């Protein structure tokens, strides 16, 4: 797709921030850029602080003139940019404190905790506190019910409506306690991949990161390669992805390229129709974030097919109409209208399903209609 000046500049700043390539490859920031639009775009794409990092690094390396003299970058926009980044840092620090407390609370009750995605992925970034965070995803090694009870005994309400995980707020931070890693009730693909994930967890155990003085368990790279890929593909099908998802994938596969069993990964992903999509996601990393070709050397890629698919994925990332609707507006929408909106989004996404498996769209459409219009969902 043809990128706007702001989109091109955004990629340049992200490439600088992620530090995967030498600075000679960077595209210069054009004069007359609409900086307010660029900052708003970075917010929508979940990469606000990363772009500020890129700006500061470009400035220090003299790739561009001093930031204060850049045409169109007003003091007000710069202050908003910096203040928003500081707020994001504070949210990340709070999450880290909450994770430490959760580890301690569960351990006191004989429960071990595995941290999924989130802060574990943040550790891959040059500045871990500048990755945008959402909720905290945890797995309690078979102690799902016991973990819910421990939290309830602290006087915290635990929502258990879904089959995949329960939800609660700990010190104001949303937490998902996973009963299963994937939506095993929804698709056979998720059921099969769930088995692969449990097999890897059983055979390989876990890695760990350190938050202050607390060791926190995280999955091994072979586990995360499958889990993160399927997680992102599921979100891509449902509502689309943002650039932060592609940054995660790019850094994860680059940093862990020596530890991932790529032969098994490709076998599993091809078997379940996921391989072309994940290759297209990583192609964005190669084209726009500076992911070195050697980081993808183990991937068997149909170049022509992936190029066409990657362009559609990128267009969907920037131009997906569903993502332009405010989430709170969707949540407060009249239920029948919300359900119809979901089905309409599914129809618009037919090409995504077709890129994975012939006939998958119609299977998903029938299932989604059945799910959305069951009586218990009308609330």
């Amino acid at each position: 797709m043809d990128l706007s000046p702001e989109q091109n500049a955004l990629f340049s700043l992200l490439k600088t921030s992620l530090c995967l390539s030498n600075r000679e490859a960077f595209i210069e920031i054009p004069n007359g850029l609409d900086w307010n639009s660029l900052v708003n775009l970075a917010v929508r794409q979940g990469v606000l602080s990363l772009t500020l990092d890129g700006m500061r690094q470009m400035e220090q390396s003299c790739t561009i003139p001093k930031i204060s003299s850049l045409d169109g970058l007003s003091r007000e926009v710069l202050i908003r940019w910096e203040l928003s980044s500081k707020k994001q840092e504070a949210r990340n620090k709070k999450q880290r404190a909450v994770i430490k407390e959760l580890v301690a609370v569960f351990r006191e009750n004989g429960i071990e905790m595995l941290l999924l995605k989130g802060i574990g992925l943040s550790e891959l970034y040059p500045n871990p506190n500048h990755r945008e965070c959402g909720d905290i995803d945890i797995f309690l090694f078979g102690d799902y019910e016991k973990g819910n009870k421990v939290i309830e005994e602290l006087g915290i309400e635990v929502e258990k409506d879904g089959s995949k995980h329960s939800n609660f707020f700990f010190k104001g931070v949303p937490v998902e306690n996973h009963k299963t890693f994937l939506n095993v009730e929804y698709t056979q693909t998720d059921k099969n991949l769930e088995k692969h994930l449990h097999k890897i967890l059983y055979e390989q155990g876990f890695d760990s990161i350190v938050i202050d003085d607390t060791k926190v368990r995280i999955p091994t790279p072979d586990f995360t390669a499958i889990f993160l890929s399927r997680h992102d593909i599921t979100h891509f099908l449902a509502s689309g992805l943002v650039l932060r998802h592609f940054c995660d994938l790019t850094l994860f596969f680059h940093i862990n390229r020596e530890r991932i069993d790529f032969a098994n990964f490709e076998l599993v992903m091809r078997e379940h129709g996921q391989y072309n999509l994940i290759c297209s996601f990583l192609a964005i990393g190669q084209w726009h974030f500076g992911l070195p070709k050697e980081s993808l050397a183990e991937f068997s890629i149909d170049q022509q097919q992936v190029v066409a698919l990657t362009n559609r994925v990128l267009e969907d990332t920037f131009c997906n109409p569903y993502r332009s609707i405010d989430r709170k507006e969707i949540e407060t929408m009249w239920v029948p209208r919300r359900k119809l909106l979901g089905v309409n989004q599914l129809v618009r996404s037919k090409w995504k399903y077709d890129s994975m498996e012939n006939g998958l769209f119609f299977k998903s459409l029938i299932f989604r209609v059945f799910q959305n219009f069951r009586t218990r969902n009308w609330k």
Side-chain angles (χ1 to χ4, degrees), residues 129-364:
N129 282 328
H130 280 186
R131 176 189 179 270
E132 185 175 281
C133 58
D135 48 24
I136 296 173
D137 293 77
I138 61 174
F139 178 74
L140 302 179
F141 295 94
D143 283 326
Y144 168 79
E145 297 290 354
K146 184 179 178 182
N148 287 336
K149 186 177 179 181
V150 166
I151 296 300
E152 287 174 331
E153 288 174 350
L154 295 175
I156 299 172
E157 181 182 358
V158 179
E159 296 181 5
K160 307 170 189 172
D161 292 339
S163 60
K164 179 185 174 186
H165 55 69
S166 61
N167 300 273
F168 59 88
F169 283 85
F170 193 93
K171 302 291 180 70
V173 176
V175 181
E176 294 183 352
N177 174 23
H178 281 249
K179 185 176 183 179
T180 61
F181 298 117
L182 304 172
N183 284 310
V184 295
E185 284 197 356
Y186 288 1
T187 70
Q188 188 61 46
T189 294
D190 284 324
K191 289 180 183 177
N192 294 339
L193 291 177
E194 182 86 7
K195 293 176 183 176
H196 282 288
L197 293 174
H198 278 281
K199 182 175 184 289
I200 293 171
L201 184 61
Y202 175 78
E203 293 178 349
Q204 298 184 5
F206 48 85
D207 288 349
S208 64
I209 59 172
V210 178
I211 298 179
D212 296 332
D213 56 347
T214 301
K215 273 192 174 184
V216 179
R217 296 180 177 187
I218 62 171
T220 61
D222 280 332
F223 179 104
T224 300
I226 295 174
F227 176 69
L228 185 61
S229 296
R230 179 56 182 171
H231 170 271
D232 285 355
I233 287 173
T234 300
H235 276 274
F236 173 70
L237 295 174
S239 57
L241 298 177
V242 293
L243 291 182
R244 195 259 299 160
H245 293 104
F246 302 118
C247 289
D248 284 348
L249 286 166
T250 296
L251 285 172
F252 170 77
F253 278 96
H254 174 67
I255 291 172
N256 292 290
R257 61 190 182 279
E258 301 294 335
R259 296 187 59 198
I260 297 170
D261 182 347
F262 280 98
N264 182 66
F265 175 77
E266 179 175 349
L267 180 67
V268 170
M269 300 307 278
R270 282 192 185 278
E271 182 182 353
H272 297 94
Q274 316 287 291
Y275 192 69
N276 283 341
L277 264 181
I278 198 63
C279 285
S280 73
F281 294 171
L282 289 170
I284 290 175
Q286 185 178 346
W287 297 354
H288 298 290
F289 298 150
L291 179 64
K293 288 184 179 180
E294 53 266 27
S295 295
L296 300 179
E298 300 293 335
F299 281 82
S300 304
I301 297 175
D302 181 336
Q303 196 67 31
Q304 186 175 358
Q305 187 176 21
V306 167
V307 167
L309 183 56
T310 302
N311 282 322
R312 295 205 70 176
V313 170
L314 198 56
E315 184 176 2
D316 184 75
T317 301
F318 284 122
C319 307
N320 187 327
Y322 186 79
R323 298 196 67 87
S324 66
I325 305 173
D326 186 80
R327 191 172 185 82
K328 291 183 179 179
E329 180 184 346
I330 295 176
E331 291 173 352
T332 58
M333 197 177 285
W334 184 45
V335 176
R337 185 184 173 200
R338 188 171 73 236
K339 300 299 182 182
L340 287 171
L341 180 66
V343 172
N344 182 59
Q345 169 62 13
L346 180 64
V347 173
R348 284 176 175 269
S349 300
K350 180 180 181 298
W351 68 271
K352 299 180 181 181
Y353 291 85
D354 289 344
S355 71
M356 297 170 64
E357 175 189 332
N358 290 331
L360 180 60
F361 167 75
F362 293 104
K363 294 177 188 176
S364 301

Side-chain angles (χ1 to χ4, degrees), residues 105-121:
V105 166
F106 287 130
R107 191 162 286 166
E108 286 173 4
N109 289 273
I111 301 172
E112 292 296 337
M113 186 183 98
L114 185 73
L115 181 66
L116 306 170
K117 304 186 285 98
I119 294 297
L121 292 176

